[in-house]
Amino acid sequence: MDEWRDKFSEQELLIYDFLKDNKIDIEDVIDVIIKVNRFVGVGLVSLEEHVVKAIKKHHRHESFEQLMR
């Protein structure tokens, strides 16, 4: 039934289960990261670069710019 779970590490499954069980979405996670780290200006740009890099790992066939159109 949950064959897809075999593709994830134990840590990824813990994170997934926590997010699902607590109805947390990606915006909630990003908001907390920004607040905890008190990101402003350059910090937000750096966070954006990290997020873009993480997304690009999963979209190798298209540029991020193409995906955003």
Side-chain angles (χ1 to χ4, degrees):
M1 182 171 149
D2 286 341
E3 304 87 27
W4 60 269
R5 293 179 75 89
D6 296 338
K7 297 179 182 178
F8 293 91
S9 70
E10 191 173 318
Q11 182 177 9
E12 289 170 329
L13 288 173
L14 286 171
I15 293 167
Y16 170 79
D17 289 336
F18 177 80
L19 296 174
K20 183 178 146 232
D21 293 346
N22 294 286
K23 298 179 179 150
I24 297 170
D25 67 19
I26 189 70
E27 285 186 44
D28 297 326
V29 173
I30 292 171
D31 286 344
V32 168
I33 290 169
I34 291 169
K35 288 176 184 177
V36 165
N37 292 285
R38 297 182 179 142
F39 285 150
V40 294
V42 174
L44 289 173
V45 172
S46 179
L47 176 62
E48 179 183 15
E49 290 170 356
H50 288 289
V51 170
V52 168
K53 183 178 177 182
I55 292 170
K56 282 184 176 183
K57 289 191 304 189
H58 299 279
H59 291 284
R60 295 183 182 141
H61 298 95
E62 299 179 60
S63 74
F64 185 70
E65 291 74 24
Q66 288 172 324
L67 291 171
M68 296 305 292
R69 289 185 193 165

